[in-house]
Amino acid sequence: MFQTGNVELWDITALCHAIQVVSKQIQNSGGTTDINVDNAVADIKDIRNEISHDKKAELCDDDFEILWDEIEDIIKTFGEDVHEIKKLKENLNELGQTKTAADHGSEFTRLKEAANKLFKERKYSEAIKVFNEILQLPNISPPQHHQAEDNLYPITVLINELRNEDVQLLLNSIRKLSTIALAFSVERTRKELIQFFTDTIYDKDEILLVLAEQLGNFTPLVGGSDYVHCLLPLLENLASNEETVVRDKAVNSLRKIADKHSVAALEEHFVPMILRLARGDWFTSRISSCGLFSVAYPRANPAQKTELRNAYSALCSDDTPMVRRAAASKLGEVAKVWEKDYLKSELLRIFEDLSQDDQDSVRLLSVDPGIQMVTLLRNESELATVKQALTNLIEDKSWRVRYMAAEKIVQIQEAYANKITTEEIVTLYTNLLKDAEGEVRDVALMQLQDFCSGLPIENKTKVIIEQILPVIKPLASDANQHVKVSLASVVMRLAPSLGEKETVEHLLAIFLSMLRNDTPEVRLNIISSLDKVSKVIEQNELTNSLLHAIIELAEDGKWRIRLAIVEYMPLLAEQLNQQSFEEKLLKLCMTWLTDYVFAIREAVTNILKQLSDKFGVDWAVQHIIPKVTELSKDANYLHRMTCLFSVKALAQSLDKDRVKKHLLPIIKKLAEDPIPNFKFNDAKSI
């Protein structure tokens, strides 16, 4: 062992114990031993135990030298040559260094592989932590340190791509901006990364759009609320961009980080930024500022609140219509955060001015704020002012403003609640239904069901019959096709509110006339509302009034109309008794099995099961299966295929014996069909 230095070949404790046992046996047998050698063996064992039981995994150079001095003296006692002892020391040194390097190399390799795996899985933040752990390994060699830094190549690539002229690579890097920030410290992110973007000029809007979006999530990456204000200069520049989508995204990010500011930071950085934007020379910055007042105002100090109110008032009377539009669109948000005194004294005046603006694009955006003002105000004189302004908007000379009012009429109704009489709100609505522009009538009709649902319960039916239906009836023959289509989609939704008697008396005539309308979309929308009618009208009334029209539509030239009637058949079967269905509709259903449109043939096969469930399996055997059997012999292979689909559907309703008796022979016959596709579908059916 002394000659090779290979301590792994020997167990020192066992060796020393063996020497001591042999020495004692020699003494017991009358022989003599060298006491110095015996003591040296004991000393070697003690040194070995001291090293092995030490909690430290390894010895530093100084500790090794101290212990080696003791070991060298002991080895000399054994009579070993000095040169051999020196060689042993060199071997041990070399062995220790190799083992240490191997241990560190093994840990380095393990961590590096783990980090690379995390990168491939796109778990960038975890990968960065592992690479930082590698760099903290003790006794890591310079090449390994360099390799660890090099293995952060995805981050390096992302950072390099920030300067790339290729738009796609640049976009990819900016989308991973949070990953790059994780690789930096928060201080470097603030001082280097954010500053880099502030100083760099990108001329591609898609790049600026992604950048503006990313910055909204940067608060924790720059050090939290104490440092979030460092994002403001960059976002301020983006909020002044010429491209609308970039500005909007920057404003969204600014709104997101606004509440991350402390009150002091908000007053020192955020509010002054809003004022700079609001007073900017270029209209784009003034537009962006309009979206920021509502998020900053509640936490601003009194002096800054005054400045913010004055700045917003100036924007509402700006020379540029686009700025006034932006201010009008945010008036509702601002109204929620302003103190009530200023709401009455300043904001009410601003609303009046905007509702009378010479640009219709500004006036139409004042409808929503008007609704918000009605919700917030309680004083009758103030409500009268808003009411008159909204009435003027509903009767505005521009159809676009009236269109917006018609679209929001239900919200206007809900906002007024009991602050306005039913007569007044209904008059406003019916005026929109009678508007000269078809687009206004169209959108007003789409609000019919919701508007009528919002009427007071005590006189709802009376108001609908006496004030709304007389206006609606002429619209069934309106010159504008879109108006008729909209009416067809909503008119029968009034049936549950009116009840059976009033529906038959007042709605049925409109319903029947529109069922025979020349416009396919009108007929289709009416058919789609049949379920609303069937829940209200009794069976006899349905049979007498609607069935004839439905049968006519079942043979309509437009296949979508026929398809809608097919899908309505199960509902009709629920309404009619078995005899009535057989007399009036069964033949029609069987005729559809050979329709030239596949969608209709497919739909009929699906309803056969529902009819079988409704009238029973015996009825299906008697009335449906004979027709299906007849189809299996049809010369047209498409009809034979329909037969196969019908068998598959009916098999789900029939019991095992009836399937075996009535359906299995059909399947066997079709299995011999010369068309290859039949064998495939036949096998699927089985």
Side-chain angles (χ1 to χ4, degrees), residues 36 145 173 369 397 502 512 584 624:
N36 293 328
H145 193 283
S173 190
K397 61 183 179 180
E502 305 301 343
L512 292 173
K584 301 179 185 296
I624 296 179

Side-chain angles (χ1 to χ4, degrees), residues 12-263:
I12 301 298
T13 302
L15 177 62
C16 292
H17 183 69
I19 293 172
Q20 289 174 336
V21 169
V22 171
S23 178
K24 185 174 291 187
Q25 288 295 328
I26 292 173
Q27 293 173 4
N28 291 339
S29 62
T32 60
T33 59
D34 190 334
I35 189 64
N36 293 328
V37 172
D38 291 340
N39 292 337
V41 170
D43 290 341
I44 285 179
K45 186 178 72 171
D46 292 341
I47 292 173
R48 179 266 178 195
N49 290 339
E50 180 184 348
I51 296 172
S52 297
H53 300 157
D54 195 334
K55 293 182 179 180
K56 294 187 295 183
E58 55 192 35
L59 293 174
C60 67
D61 291 343
D62 292 339
D63 289 341
F64 177 79
E65 290 296 335
I66 293 172
L67 285 174
W68 180 253
D69 288 341
E70 297 181 29
I71 292 172
E72 186 175 9
D73 292 338
I74 294 171
I75 295 174
K76 287 178 180 178
T77 304
F78 297 144
E80 286 291 333
D81 184 72
V82 174
H83 295 292
E84 292 296 328
I85 296 174
K86 183 178 181 182
K87 184 178 179 181
L88 173 62
K89 181 179 180 182
E90 291 173 354
N91 288 344
L92 290 174
N93 265 326
E94 183 178 347
L95 177 65
Q97 290 172 0
T98 303
K99 190 174 186 303
T100 301
D103 291 342
H104 287 309
S106 175
E107 181 69 3
F108 172 84
T109 302
R110 184 186 67 79
L111 291 174
K112 187 183 75 170
E113 289 175 354
N116 286 336
K117 182 180 178 182
L118 290 169
F119 264 123
K120 289 179 182 178
E121 295 173 355
R122 298 188 177 183
K123 299 177 180 178
Y124 298 117
S125 58
E126 296 177 35
I128 291 167
K129 290 177 182 177
V130 175
F131 273 120
N132 285 332
E133 187 178 343
I134 291 175
L135 296 174
Q136 301 302 318
L137 283 175
N139 300 320
I140 186 172
S141 65
Q144 289 175 329
H145 193 283
H146 181 68
Q147 187 180 358
E149 290 182 334
D150 284 348
N151 270 271
L152 288 166
Y153 71 91
I155 300 300
T156 306
V157 169
L158 289 174
I159 295 172
N160 288 337
E161 285 176 359
L162 292 176
R163 301 179 177 87
N164 203 300
E165 294 182 0
D166 187 303
V167 174
Q168 197 56 48
L169 291 176
L170 187 53
L171 280 173
N172 177 64
S173 190
I174 292 180
R175 288 192 180 102
K176 302 292 190 300
L177 204 54
S178 58
T179 302
I180 298 174
L182 283 171
F184 288 13
S185 64
V186 290
E187 184 176 359
R188 286 189 65 197
T189 298
R190 292 194 302 268
K191 293 183 178 179
E192 298 178 29
L193 188 60
I194 299 302
Q195 190 59 45
F196 168 80
F197 284 109
T198 304
D199 297 339
T200 304
I201 300 174
Y202 292 119
D203 57 355
K204 299 293 184 182
D205 294 331
E206 57 265 44
I207 295 171
L208 298 176
L209 178 64
V210 176
L211 177 59
E213 182 179 16
Q214 289 290 318
L215 291 175
N217 304 314
F218 250 56
T219 301
L221 301 175
V222 295
S225 58
D226 291 338
Y227 299 98
V228 68
H229 60 83
C230 73
L231 299 172
L232 297 183
L234 180 52
L235 284 170
E236 183 178 352
N237 290 337
L238 293 170
S240 303
N241 192 271
E242 293 182 2
E243 183 57 45
T244 303
V245 292
V246 175
R247 293 199 307 271
D248 290 345
K249 192 63 70 175
V251 170
N252 288 341
S253 292
L254 283 168
R255 289 170 66 92
K256 187 183 291 187
I257 68 173
D259 62 346
K260 303 295 191 299
H261 285 73
S262 63
V263 174

